[in-house]
Amino acid sequence: LETDRIRLAEQDGAPVGFARLGPVSLPVEPAGHALELRQLYLDDRAKGTGVADMLMRWAIDATRADGADELFL
């Protein structure tokens, strides 16, 4: 993943959250290919609805699909 990838979550056509993955910019030395979960935001009205879980699952799945060994939060 050379550029950031974003996943938007909507409820009733309105945005309620998003997650953003990108190359590692944290002060760490990954053991191999790694990505960073740069942001995960959730609107108050989406709390308790499973949207945060869906966004986190997307981040993990996208990391695996990219062939990364690590995901930094």
Side-chain angles (χ1 to χ4, degrees):
L1 187 66
E2 296 178 16
T3 61
D4 288 2
R5 188 179 302 164
I6 297 173
R7 177 73 174 220
L8 178 66
E10 296 180 348
Q11 284 182 338
D12 300 322
V16 293
F18 74 92
R20 182 169 68 113
L21 283 175
V24 176
S25 64
L26 296 168
V28 297
E29 292 188 33
H33 178 50
L35 293 178
E36 177 182 324
L37 179 58
R38 295 176 180 256
Q39 295 172 303
L40 195 152
Y41 288 108
L42 190 66
D43 189 275
D44 283 340
R45 65 185 168 207
K47 290 181 180 176
T49 65
V51 172
D53 183 56
M54 182 272 303
L55 290 171
M56 194 64 209
R57 277 188 276 126
W58 169 81
I60 293 168
D61 291 344
T63 299
R64 288 179 179 148
D66 194 63
D69 304 309
E70 299 176 287
L71 175 61
F72 288 89
L73 308 178

